[in-house]
Amino acid sequence: MTADAKIDINALEKPWENLHELVTAGEAEPLLAFLDLMSPTETALAISRLSSEDQSRLLTLLSPADAAEVLEDISETQAADMIEELSPAHAAAILEELDSDHIADLLGDMDEDSAAAILDNMAPEEAEEARQFLEYPPDTAGGLMISECLAYREEQRISDVLTDLQANRETYADYNVQYLYVTDERQRLRGVLRMHDLLFPVHAAPLSQLMIRDPHKVRVDAGLDRLRDFFEEHRLFGAPVVDEQNRLQGVVLPEAVEEAGRKRSVRQFLGLSGIIGGEEFRSMPLLVRSGRRLSWLSLNIVLNIIAASVIAIYQDTLAAAIALAVFLPMVSDMSGCSGNQAVAVSMRELSLGLVRPGELLRVMAKEASLGVVNGLALGLLLGAVAFFWKNNYYLGLVVGGALAANTLVAVTLGGLLPLLLKRLKMDPALVSSPLLTTVTDMAGFFFVLSFATAVLPRLSGG
Amino acid sequence: MTADAKIDINALEKPWENLHELVTAGEAEPLLAFLDLMSPTETALAISRLSSEDQSRLLTLLSPADAAEVLEDISETQAADMIEELSPAHAAAILEELDSDHIADLLGDMDEDSAAAILDNMAPEEAEEARQFLEYPPDTAGGLMISECLAYREEQRISDVLTDLQANRETYADYNVQYLYVTDERQRLRGVLRMHDLLFPVHAAPLSQLMIRDPHKVRVDAGLDRLRDFFEEHRLFGAPVVDEQNRLQGVVLPEAVEEAGRKRSVRQFLGLSGIIGGEEFRSMPLLVRSGRRLSWLSLNIVLNIIAASVIAIYQDTLAAAIALAVFLPMVSDMSGCSGNQAVAVSMRELSLGLVRPGELLRVMAKEASLGVVNGLALGLLLGAVAFFWKNNYYLGLVVGGALAANTLVAVTLGGLLPLLLKRLKMDPALVSSPLLTTVTDMAGFFFVLSFATAVLPRLSGG
C-alpha cells in the first residue's frame, strides 16, 4: 500500500463522527480498517475529538496489539490519559505490546496509584523491567534506552548467530536491529558487530575474532546533552548502554535522543509562553485548562503589583506631568523586548555550548556594550517623539534618558539571567522572562519618574 | 578509543588559547591531534572564540577532508561564515568532502556571489548536483535528501550486488546504508531490499524476485510535516525520494527530518524572543548584533506608540484619577500574558494536527469560555487590590471590569491569531506576539480609561 492510497482526512468533513459511529457499532474489523486508512496525525485528531467513553470503548474493541499501535500515533500525555481510563488488566495487556522505553514513559505520565495497579497486572518479568526503567530519570540514557537489542556471547560463532536470527525472525522484526553486541559471561560489553559484517563471514569463527573491541558506549546516567554529543560525534544507529560494571543494559537509538530533545524544546516554548505544569489540549475540561493557566497568571499578578508599586510611590510627579503616563508602559515594554532578545541569545549559546555558565564577565561585557549602542539609538528615537509631541525639551530628555538607561539594564540582566539560573539549577526558560520583566518594569518606571522628579518644574511648564 | 579518553575541556582554562597557539605554530599534525581529542561541542566553543584570521588559517592548515569534519561540528551559520572567508578554490575542495545535502545548506547560507564563485571551483559534476539541490526549498524532501544511496537495476543479481559492495567498501562506508533501492532502465523506483535480506539470499536470483515491490516513498516536494508523518507511520531508516515520473532522486534520512524540525523550533523560539533575520552569536561584531536587534525593536517602538496613543487621548481622565496610572500597565501586561498562553496552545495544537486552520469557531468557543472564567477570576483579584488600596469601590469596579473584559479579548484573539496567520501563510511564531501585545495594550488602556470616564466623579471622590 502506498501513501497515496490514504484517505485525505481534510476531505472528510468530520472524521471523528465516522469514528464515533464505528465505535458505537462495536465491530472491530471495520474500525481497524478505518484507522489503517488514516495517517498518524489524522488518527490523533480524530481520537482527540471523541468523548472519553468512546476513547475507552475504541481501545477495548481492538486487540491489545492494535490498540498499542493506535497509542503510538498520539501524544504521550493523551495516550496516558486514555490508558488510565481502562481496567488495569486491559491497560496492562496493551502496554505489554509496547517497547520498554515507551511503557515507562506512559506509566511515568500517570498518577502513581494507576501505574501501580497496571504494573500488578503485567507479566512479572515485564513488570519488573518496567519498574526498573521507571527509576531512571527521564532525560538520561537509562530513561531513553530500549531493552530490545541483540546480544551474544563472545565465544559464540557466526553460524550460531545466523541460526538464532533465522529462528527468531518474527520477534526480531520489531527490533531496531543494526548491531549485535558481544558480551562476556557476566554480561559485560566486550565488542560490537554491524549487521553487514555478517555478509562475508567465516561461519566457524567465534564472535570475539570478528567484533570491534571496546566499542563506543554510554553510561545509564548520561544526560541528554551528553547523548546528543555522542551521536553527533559517532554517527551510529544506536549506542549500547552500560552500568558502572560495564554490563549491557540496553540500547539508545538516536531517534529517541532527538525526540527527547524536541520534547525539551516544546516544554521550553510552552514554558516561555506561560503554559506550565503539563501540556494543554483544548479537549481537556474547561476548569482544568483554566486552573492551570491561572496558577501561572496569579504569580504574574503579584510580580506586576510589585512593579507597579513604583508608580504609586511617584504619584505626585505623575499627576504634575501627566504626559509621562503615556511613556511609562512604552519604556518598560521596549526594555522588556530588548532584555528578552538577550535572554534568547544566552539560552541559545548555552544550548550550543558556546558559552559556559561561569562566563559572567564575558557576557556582561558583550551585552553592556550592545546595551549602550541600542539604548542610545532607542532613547534618541523615543526622546525625539516625546519632544516633538509636547514641544518640551525636558520631556524628551527624561523619556529618552530613561529608555537608554533601562535598555542597558535590561540587556545586561537578560544576558546574565540564563547563566545565573543555570548555575542555580533552575530552568532558564521558565524563570528568566517573568523575573526580567518585573525588574525592567520597576527600573523603567523608576528611571522615568525619578528623572522627571528632578526636572519637574521644567516639565509641567511645557 | 573510548569517550573517557577525551580531555575535559572545562578543565582546560581556555582551550581556544591552546588552539590559537597550535594554529600560529602552523603544523597540521599536532593541530589535528588536539581537535581529535575534543568533543563536537568543545570544538565548536574553541573555534568560535578564535579570530576570523585564525579560523581561516585553521581550515587551510588541515586537509580538505579534515577541515570538512571540523565544519560538521559547528553550527551551519558559523560554518558558512568561515568558508566564505577562504579562497573559492579552497572552499570548493572542502565542500566536496561533505554530503550533498550539507553542501547545499552551507551554500544557501552564503551570499550569492560567494556561493557562485565556490560552485565554479567545484568539479563540474558535483557543482551540477549542488546547483540542483539548491533549487529545492529547504524544508522539503528535495532539500533534505542526500544523493548518496545504493541503487541497482531489477535484472541485476544478488551476486552482482555483493561484488559491488565488496569492491566499493570504502566509498560506501561513508554512506548511511540501510536499504538497496531497485530501479528500472529509466531510473524509476521499483522496489527495495533491506541490507539483512542479503544474509540468506539465492545468489543467482535477480533482485526483482527478492525485493519488496512498490515501496513506501516520498515526493521531492513533500514538506516537513508530511515527512514527519511518514517516519512516524513507517519506522524506516530512510525514505526514497522520487520526482513526478517516479524516478529515484535520493534518500531522506529520519535524522535529517528530525534536525530540520529542531531547527524550525529554534527559529520559532528565537523569533518569539525577537531575534529575527538569522541566529546571533556573541562572537559576531557589535554593530551587526546591534543592528539586527534594532531592526526588530524599531518596529516594536512603532507598535508601542500606536498603543500608547490611547492613553494620550484620555489624558484628562487620567489626570483626574491618577491612581489609574498604576493599573494601566498591569491590565495590559496581564492580558498580554493570558493571550500568549492561548497563542502557545493554538500553535501546539496546529503543529500536532489537533486543530485545523479553518476551525475558527471551535477555537473561539473554547477560548471565549476560558476567557470568561479567567477574566472573572483575575478581575476579582485585581479589582479587590484596587478597592482596598484606595478604599474606593468604583476604582475596584473599573480596574477589575477592565481586566476581565481585556482578558476575554486577549484570550480569544490569542487563540485565533495562529490559525488566521497560518491561513494567510504568515509565520505565527513571528507575528502573533507583537500583534497580540499591541491589540491587548490598546484594548486594556481603552477599557480602563473609558470605564473610568463613565464614573469619573465617583473615582476622584475616593
Side-chain angles (χ1 to χ4, degrees):
Chain A
M1 185 185 60
T2 65
D4 312 311
K6 302 275 152 198
I7 36 170
D8 179 9
I9 209 158
N10 288 304
L12 275 187
E13 185 76 28
K14 290 179 171 173
W16 47 94
E17 293 188 352
N18 308 39
L19 197 58
H20 167 73
E21 280 168 27
L22 286 163
V23 168
T24 313
E27 300 223 26
E29 265 187 42
L31 176 61
L32 196 57
F34 184 76
L35 288 170
D36 267 350
L37 283 177
M38 292 198 287
S39 78
T41 313
E42 294 160 353
T43 309
L45 170 65
I47 290 185
S48 76
R49 298 288 168 89
L50 293 182
S51 68
S52 86
E53 294 74 43
D54 273 356
Q55 291 178 345
S56 298
R57 211 172 305 154
L58 182 146
L59 289 184
T60 351
L61 271 172
L62 299 174
S63 72
D66 290 331
E69 264 188 43
V70 168
L71 291 179
E72 283 183 352
D73 288 347
I74 64 188
S75 84
E76 228 164 63
T77 317
Q78 291 184 294
D81 282 350
M82 281 173 71
I83 295 177
E84 267 189 285
E85 298 291 316
L86 300 177
S87 74
H90 205 104
I94 295 176
L95 282 186
E96 284 177 359
E97 299 290 330
L98 296 167
D99 64 35
S100 41
D101 165 44
H102 207 161
I103 298 176
D105 286 348
L106 288 174
L107 290 173
D109 270 356
M110 299 176 195
D111 71 59
E112 284 191 21
D113 292 344
S114 312
I118 295 175
L119 281 166
D120 287 342
N121 277 277
M122 283 169 70
E125 204 173 300
E126 301 225 21
E128 178 52 40
E129 189 178 271
R131 283 201 184 89
Q132 193 191 326
F133 269 68
L134 269 171
E135 285 185 11
Y136 297 118
D139 279 357
T140 62
L144 295 170
M145 72 185 181
I146 52 175
S147 59
E148 292 81 359
C149 62
L150 297 179
Y152 296 92
R153 295 274 295 277
E154 47 191 341
E155 64 273 19
Q156 284 185 288
R157 286 158 207 289
I158 293 287
S159 51
D160 302 329
V161 173
L162 291 177
T163 313
D164 178 65
L165 286 178
Q166 278 282 44
N168 295 295
R169 254 185 182 221
E170 291 203 3
T171 317
Y172 297 161
D174 289 343
Y175 284 31
N176 217 329
V177 181
Q178 298 299 315
Y179 304 106
L180 311 172
Y181 297 109
V182 184
T183 61
D184 66 10
E185 71 292 350
R186 290 170 58 193
Q187 288 184 294
R188 286 178 301 203
L189 180 67
R190 302 304 298 260
V192 67
L193 275 160
R194 287 162 305 176
M195 212 61 183
H196 55 264
D197 290 337
L198 301 181
L199 282 177
F200 315 98
V202 187
H203 281 214
L207 299 185
S208 54
Q209 272 181 28
L210 296 166
M211 71 188 185
I212 302 166
R213 286 174 186 280
D214 202 6
H216 300 297
K217 62 199 171 196
V218 291
R219 279 273 298 271
V220 271
D221 55 357
L224 196 49
D225 292 319
R226 170 84 194 84
L227 290 168
R228 279 192 161 174
D229 256 15
F230 179 92
F231 284 112
E232 218 169 287
E233 191 168 3
H234 317 291
R235 304 195 168 255
L236 301 175
F237 297 109
V241 182
V242 297
D243 65 10
E244 315 78 74
Q245 279 97 49
N246 194 29
R247 284 179 307 206
L248 184 64
Q249 303 291 307
V251 57
V252 181
L253 304 177
E255 301 92 273
V257 175
E258 282 292 342
E259 198 188 325
R262 207 168 63 209
K263 279 190 198 154
R264 189 167 65 173
S265 12
V266 166
R267 279 199 306 276
Q268 198 174 67
F269 161 69
L270 292 174
L272 271 176
S273 312
I275 298 292
I276 317 284
E279 282 193 65
E280 177 186 322
F281 298 100
R282 292 219 172 87
S283 45
M284 291 174 172
L286 174 61
L287 288 181
V288 172
R289 298 166 59 218
S290 157
R292 282 208 195 156
R293 292 201 198 172
L294 275 178
S295 66
W296 166 242
L297 292 170
S298 39
L299 168 66
N300 225 286
I301 216 168
V302 174
L303 295 178
N304 259 291
I305 289 174
I306 295 171
S309 61
V310 176
I311 306 183
I313 295 170
Y314 283 100
Q315 258 187 102
D316 297 338
T317 301
L318 195 55
I322 196 71
L324 293 173
V326 174
F327 293 98
L328 282 179
M330 293 182 68
V331 169
S332 69
D333 186 73
M334 287 299 301
S335 314
C337 286
S338 297
N340 272 325
Q341 289 180 325
V343 167
V345 174
S346 274
M347 286 181 55
R348 181 72 180 137
E349 291 212 333
L350 277 176
S351 84
L352 288 175
L354 294 181
V355 69
R356 298 177 186 163
E359 294 184 298
L360 297 175
L361 278 179
R362 172 186 161 82
V363 169
M364 190 139 110
K366 288 276 177 187
E367 286 302 325
S369 50
L370 189 145
V372 169
V373 175
N374 282 11
L376 285 176
L378 295 171
L380 275 174
L381 199 63
L382 194 63
V385 169
F387 167 69
F388 284 115
W389 180 41
K390 291 287 176 187
N391 197 25
N392 183 323
Y393 177 72
Y394 287 93
L395 183 66
L397 213 61
V398 165
V399 168
L403 181 56
N406 206 32
T407 301
L408 178 58
V409 169
V411 162
T412 312
L413 181 67
L416 293 176
L417 262 182
L419 281 72
L420 291 169
L421 291 169
K422 182 124 189 183
R423 291 175 80 176
L424 297 173
K425 310 258 177 232
M426 291 166 81
D427 184 352
L430 291 191
V431 188
S432 293
S433 189
L435 208 60
L436 176 80
T437 311
T438 307
V439 175
T440 55
D441 278 4
M442 289 183 76
F445 299 152
F446 171 77
F447 284 132
V448 173
L449 294 170
S450 64
F451 291 180
T453 308
V455 295
L456 196 55
R458 319 273 187 151
L459 273 185
S460 17
Chain B
M1 185 183 63
T2 65
D4 312 309
K6 303 273 151 196
I7 37 171
D8 179 8
I9 209 160
N10 289 304
L12 273 187
E13 186 75 30
K14 291 178 171 173
W16 47 94
E17 293 188 350
N18 308 38
L19 197 57
H20 167 74
E21 280 168 27
L22 286 164
V23 167
T24 313
E27 301 223 26
E29 265 187 43
L31 175 62
L32 195 57
F34 185 75
L35 288 170
D36 266 350
L37 283 177
M38 291 198 287
S39 78
T41 313
E42 294 161 353
T43 310
L45 170 64
I47 290 185
S48 76
R49 298 288 167 89
L50 293 182
S51 68
S52 87
E53 294 75 41
D54 274 356
Q55 290 178 346
S56 297
R57 210 172 305 153
L58 183 146
L59 288 185
T60 353
L61 272 172
L62 300 174
S63 72
D66 290 330
E69 263 188 46
V70 168
L71 290 179
E72 283 184 351
D73 288 347
I74 64 189
S75 84
E76 228 163 63
T77 318
Q78 291 185 294
D81 281 350
M82 281 173 71
I83 296 178
E84 266 188 288
E85 297 291 317
L86 302 177
S87 75
H90 204 103
I94 295 176
L95 282 187
E96 283 177 359
E97 299 289 331
L98 295 166
D99 65 35
S100 42
D101 166 44
H102 207 163
I103 298 176
D105 286 348
L106 289 174
L107 290 172
D109 269 357
M110 300 176 193
D111 71 59
E112 284 190 21
D113 292 344
S114 312
I118 295 174
L119 281 166
D120 287 342
N121 277 277
M122 282 169 71
E125 205 174 298
E126 301 225 21
E128 179 52 40
E129 190 178 272
R131 282 200 185 89
Q132 194 192 324
F133 269 67
L134 269 171
E135 286 184 12
Y136 297 117
D139 278 357
T140 62
L144 296 170
M145 71 184 180
I146 51 174
S147 58
E148 292 82 358
C149 64
L150 297 179
Y152 297 92
R153 295 275 294 279
E154 47 191 339
E155 64 273 18
Q156 286 185 287
R157 285 158 206 290
I158 293 287
S159 52
D160 302 328
V161 173
L162 291 177
T163 314
D164 178 66
L165 287 178
Q166 277 281 43
N168 295 294
R169 250 180 186 227
E170 292 203 0
T171 318
Y172 297 160
D174 289 344
Y175 284 33
N176 217 328
V177 182
Q178 297 299 316
Y179 303 107
L180 312 173
Y181 297 109
V182 184
T183 61
D184 66 10
E185 71 291 349
R186 291 170 57 192
Q187 288 184 294
R188 286 178 303 202
L189 180 68
R190 302 304 297 262
V192 66
L193 275 161
R194 286 161 307 176
M195 212 60 184
H196 55 264
D197 291 336
L198 300 181
L199 283 176
F200 317 98
V202 188
H203 282 214
L207 300 184
S208 54
Q209 272 183 27
L210 297 166
M211 70 188 186
I212 302 165
R213 285 172 187 280
D214 203 4
H216 300 297
K217 63 199 170 194
V218 292
R219 279 273 298 272
V220 270
D221 55 358
L224 196 50
D225 292 320
R226 172 83 194 86
L227 290 169
R228 279 192 162 176
D229 257 13
F230 179 91
F231 283 112
E232 217 168 289
E233 192 168 2
H234 316 293
R235 304 195 169 253
L236 300 175
F237 297 109
V241 181
V242 296
D243 64 10
E244 315 79 74
Q245 278 98 49
N246 194 28
R247 284 180 307 206
L248 184 64
Q249 303 291 306
V251 57
V252 181
L253 304 178
E255 301 92 274
V257 175
E258 282 292 340
E259 197 187 326
R262 210 170 58 207
K263 278 190 198 154
R264 187 167 68 173
S265 10
V266 166
R267 280 199 305 277
Q268 199 175 65
F269 161 68
L270 292 174
L272 270 176
S273 311
I275 298 292
I276 318 285
E279 281 193 64
E280 177 187 322
F281 298 100
R282 293 219 170 87
S283 45
M284 292 174 172
L286 174 61
L287 289 181
V288 171
R289 298 166 58 217
S290 157
R292 282 209 196 156
R293 291 201 199 172
L294 276 178
S295 66
W296 165 242
L297 292 170
S298 39
L299 168 66
N300 224 287
I301 216 167
V302 174
L303 296 178
N304 259 291
I305 290 173
I306 295 171
S309 61
V310 176
I311 306 182
I313 295 169
Y314 283 100
Q315 258 187 102
D316 297 336
T317 301
L318 195 55
I322 196 69
L324 292 173
V326 175
F327 294 98
L328 282 180
M330 295 184 66
V331 169
S332 68
D333 186 74
M334 288 298 301
S335 313
C337 287
S338 296
N340 272 326
Q341 289 181 326
V343 167
V345 174
S346 274
M347 286 182 55
R348 181 73 180 136
E349 289 212 333
L350 277 176
S351 84
L352 289 175
L354 293 181
V355 68
R356 299 175 186 164
E359 293 183 298
L360 297 175
L361 277 179
R362 173 187 160 82
V363 169
M364 191 140 109
K366 288 276 178 187
E367 287 302 325
S369 50
L370 188 144
V372 169
V373 175
N374 283 11
L376 285 176
L378 296 171
L380 276 173
L381 199 63
L382 194 64
V385 170
F387 166 70
F388 285 115
W389 180 41
K390 290 287 176 185
N391 197 25
N392 183 323
Y393 177 72
Y394 288 93
L395 183 66
L397 213 60
V398 165
V399 168
L403 181 55
N406 205 32
T407 301
L408 178 59
V409 170
V411 163
T412 314
L413 181 68
L416 292 176
L417 263 182
L419 281 72
L420 291 169
L421 291 169
K422 182 124 190 183
R423 291 175 81 177
L424 297 173
K425 310 258 175 232
M426 290 165 80
D427 184 353
L430 290 190
V431 189
S432 293
S433 189
L435 208 61
L436 176 81
T437 311
T438 307
V439 175
T440 54
D441 278 3
M442 289 182 76
F445 300 152
F446 170 77
F447 284 132
V448 173
L449 294 170
S450 65
F451 291 180
T453 308
V455 296
L456 195 54
R458 317 275 187 150
L459 273 185
S460 15

